[in-house]
Amino acid sequence: MKYKGSCHCGRIAFEVEGDLKQVMECNCSICAKRGSLHWFMPRQQLRLATPAASLATYRFGPATISHHFCPVCGCAPFGEGADGSGKAMAAINVRCLDGVEVSGLKVVPFDGRSL
């Protein structure tokens, strides 16, 4: 299925395609504060509908994940990084997808705080 998403103000808009059945809830310092629910997918399944120059990026700790956010409204719709084998991945914040009822998804906890 194809999904559209954006930040609150629309400066960052994107499309993703995949089978959304479950999300990951990470308890690391940034994810816990943002309340993000992540849907991981290969990076090529994410297509920006707005210029990449619209993104602001935050990296912390080992700086292996680029946490993208909108510099205007502050929403963080997705991040980018690589899996253990080096494959480019995207972590979509499903709270930024249009028409997705989060309560209908399986939420899998992840202990990012311990990393």
Side-chain angles (χ1 to χ4, degrees), residues 25-37:
E25 183 175 34
C26 179
N27 67 358
C28 79
S29 59
I30 195 166
C31 292
K33 289 184 183 288
R34 284 186 172 161
S36 299
L37 293 175

Side-chain angles (χ1 to χ4, degrees), residues 6-103:
S6 68
C7 63
H8 189 256
C9 72
R11 181 180 174 135
I12 299 169
F14 60 96
E15 291 182 348
V16 293
E17 192 165 350
D19 190 18
L20 177 56
K21 291 184 179 177
Q22 71 178 32
V23 294
M24 185 201 68
E25 183 175 34
C26 179
N27 67 358
C28 79
S29 59
I30 195 166
C31 292
K33 289 184 183 288
R34 284 186 172 161
S36 299
L37 293 175
H38 300 292
W39 177 25
F40 287 90
M41 64 182 51
R43 174 58 182 87
Q44 69 263 19
Q45 289 176 231
L46 167 66
R47 187 187 71 74
L48 286 175
T50 51
S54 298
L55 297 169
T57 302
Y58 178 66
R59 293 178 189 89
F60 67 99
T64 57
I65 300 173
S66 296
H67 298 270
H68 299 304
F69 65 96
C70 176
V72 175
C73 68
C75 282
F78 65 92
E80 295 178 272
D83 67 11
S85 66
K87 180 179 174 184
M89 299 293 289
I92 308 303
N93 182 356
V94 298
R95 294 186 187 278
C96 293
L97 294 177
D98 301 335
V100 171
E101 183 54 53
V102 175
S103 65

